[in-house]
């Protein structure tokens, strides 16, 4: 599997994945492939907590997700 770590940054959960082995052998992938795969995680999180927000950043082969829990007014 991929190396992943998680930490907390205040109320935000930060998950880092150093590689994306699922698509490691694929060549010339459209950015839409990653975006679609990431939206599956967005959907899974929304089922778990509809107010939570998932933000993603890519750095080379690495991926960082920030999970911010929604606030109630």
């Amino acid at each position: 599997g991929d190396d992943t770590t998680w930490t907390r940054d205040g109320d935000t959960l930060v998950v880092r994945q150093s590689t994306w082995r699922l698509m490691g052998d694929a060549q010339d992938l459209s950015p839409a492939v990653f975006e679609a795969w990431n939206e599956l995680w967005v959907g899974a999180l929304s089922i778990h907590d509809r107010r939570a927000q998932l933000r993603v950043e890519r750095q080379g082969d690495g991926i960082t997700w920030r999970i911010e829990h929604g606030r109630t007014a």
Side-chain angles (χ1 to χ4, degrees), residues 3-4 8 11-13 15 22 29-30 32 34 37-38 40 45-46 49 51 55 57 72:
D3 285 335
T4 56
R8 288 200 179 271
D11 290 338
T12 302
L13 181 65
V15 179
L22 176 67
L29 283 177
S30 166
F34 176 80
W37 180 73
N38 187 66
L40 293 172
L45 179 63
S46 72
D49 181 348
R51 290 182 294 270
R55 307 210 188 283
E57 299 173 19
T72 55

Side-chain angles (χ1 to χ4, degrees), residues 5-40:
T5 60
W6 67 273
T7 57
R8 288 200 179 271
D9 182 8
D11 290 338
T12 302
L13 181 65
V14 181
V15 179
R16 291 186 175 90
Q17 182 174 317
S18 61
T19 58
W20 192 27
R21 292 181 62 186
L22 176 67
M23 294 295 160
D25 292 334
Q27 296 180 13
D28 299 324
L29 283 177
S30 166
V33 172
F34 176 80
E35 291 168 18
W37 180 73
N38 187 66
E39 286 301 312
L40 293 172

Side-chain angles (χ1 to χ4, degrees), residues 45-54 68-73:
L45 179 63
S46 72
I47 294 299
H48 177 71
D49 181 348
R50 64 183 173 91
R51 290 182 294 270
Q53 297 285 321
L54 181 66
E68 300 168 356
H69 294 283
R71 306 269 191 266
T72 55

